[in-house]
Amino acid sequence: MSCGKPDIIVGIDNGISGALVALSAHHGLVIDKMLMPTRPSGKSRECNALTLCRWLETFESSRIAVCLETPSKHSPGLLALCSMWDCYGAIRGVLESCGIQHARIAPQTWQAAILGKVTKGETKAAARAKAAEIWLDEQWAKTKAHQAALIDAALIAEFYRRKFI
């Protein structure tokens, strides 16, 4: 259970293709990161809440806070929208049951605060540039999709660190 000022901030880029990044609340350094844990569910995938819980437990000796990106209410497809909200519910369930302090943040809010004004469609490039500026030597991932999710999760955590620490 977390209380008081956190030592570790976890940013969560919500969704099946999302990610989690843990930062030092004091220095903003990346401590650990992982892609959203998933498991098969019929013909698709769903969030693996048990793996998520176990990863969060690795920080048990530290006070942690989590900043979770809220899902959109609009999506090009109904299945993607349902999947994102299902993942969000699983994450919230883990956080609530573990008593982990958490804040929920809309993508537009953290992007405006961290990236500034960005032309529509350019947020991923702006996020990559900002991450390279903040974490000079960090190696995010081999694929662009994984890199984007990890960077977003790190920037979500950095947003929380700057705003609340």
Side-chain angles (χ1 to χ4, degrees):
M1 179 176 260
S2 300
C3 58
K5 195 169 185 177
D7 299 314
I8 296 172
I9 300 164
V10 175
I12 302 180
D13 179 28
N14 179 37
I16 295 303
S17 299
L20 302 94
V21 173
L23 299 182
S24 161
H26 309 292
H27 309 322
L29 301 173
V30 175
I31 296 169
D32 199 6
K33 59 188 178 228
M34 75 174 207
L35 297 174
M36 185 64 66
T38 63
R39 64 176 176 219
S41 175
K43 294 182 180 181
S44 64
R45 297 177 301 149
E46 65 185 14
C47 179
N48 187 328
L50 182 58
T51 301
L52 172 62
C53 183
R54 287 184 177 150
W55 185 78
L56 289 167
E57 285 175 344
T58 64
F59 308 113
E60 190 174 327
S61 63
S62 301
R63 291 180 308 257
I64 67 171
V66 172
C67 191
L68 171 61
E69 185 177 66
T70 57
S72 170
K73 292 181 174 66
H74 309 285
S75 176
L78 181 61
L79 288 177
L81 186 65
C82 291
S83 172
M84 186 163 285
W85 278 97
D86 182 61
C87 189
Y88 180 75
I91 295 166
R92 292 244 2 258
V94 167
L95 297 174
E96 292 286 339
S97 65
C98 292
I100 296 174
Q101 171 186 337
H102 62 284
R104 293 169 269 179
I105 188 74
Q108 300 82 358
T109 303
W110 74 258
Q111 288 170 355
I114 296 291
L115 305 177
K117 190 163 176 72
V118 177
T119 306
K120 188 174 181 167
E122 297 295 321
T123 55
K124 293 298 179 198
R128 276 193 307 276
K130 182 55 86 172
E133 177 187 314
I134 297 171
W135 301 285
L136 302 174
D137 298 321
E138 189 65 39
Q139 299 297 313
W140 296 104
K142 293 184 183 193
T143 70
K144 276 193 174 186
H146 291 168
Q147 182 183 60
L150 288 164
I151 286 171
D152 282 0
L155 292 173
I156 291 164
E158 181 63 12
F159 165 82
Y160 186 96
R161 191 176 83 81
R162 290 180 183 185
K163 184 160 178 82
F164 299 108
I165 304 300

